Amino acid sequence: MKPSSLLVAAVALFAGAIAVDVQKSVIITYPEETPDSVLDQAKDAIRASGGTVTHEYQLIKGFAAKLGEKVLDTVSGWGKQYNALIEEDQIVSSL
């Protein structure tokens, strides 16, 4: 094997090993009839993965969070049964 091929393989392996889960800011809301335990499970998973719950809403059933894409996939899967709405948190302005 050529030394350059070996170097490329080593760099690719190293890059994969230190890959960081990209953080996203999202708002996750659920229908009113969703059990509180579902929201608690999602928030616990976010915190356990190193994410943060940035706001818990009182008028609607939901919360805002900053979390990695991997845990976002997990939370999204859990929320499908309850029709959770997950959207990117962003600034809204009027024209």
Side-chain angles (χ1 to χ4, degrees):
M1 184 178 254
K2 293 181 181 179
S4 60
S5 303
L6 187 58
L7 179 62
V8 169
V11 168
L13 182 61
F14 181 72
I18 63 167
V20 176
D21 197 13
V22 176
Q23 294 281 307
K24 291 188 167 215
S25 292
V26 297
I27 297 173
I28 304 174
T29 57
Y30 296 83
E32 279 301 315
E33 61 274 3
T34 305
D36 289 339
S37 62
V38 173
L39 278 78
D40 293 339
Q41 180 184 24
K43 290 185 281 188
D44 290 344
I46 290 166
R47 290 180 184 118
S49 70
T52 55
V53 174
T54 57
H55 188 79
E56 294 188 45
Y57 300 112
Q58 303 302 314
L59 295 176
I60 59 173
K61 197 165 234 181
F63 56 91
K66 189 167 187 174
L67 66 158
E69 289 181 342
K70 292 176 186 174
V71 76
L72 179 59
D73 291 341
T74 302
V75 170
S76 178
W78 292 337
K80 284 185 181 180
Q81 178 182 353
Y82 298 98
N83 296 318
L85 176 62
I86 301 174
E87 55 190 313
E88 189 172 341
D89 194 1
Q90 54 189 327
I91 297 173
V92 178
S93 63
S94 62
L95 297 175

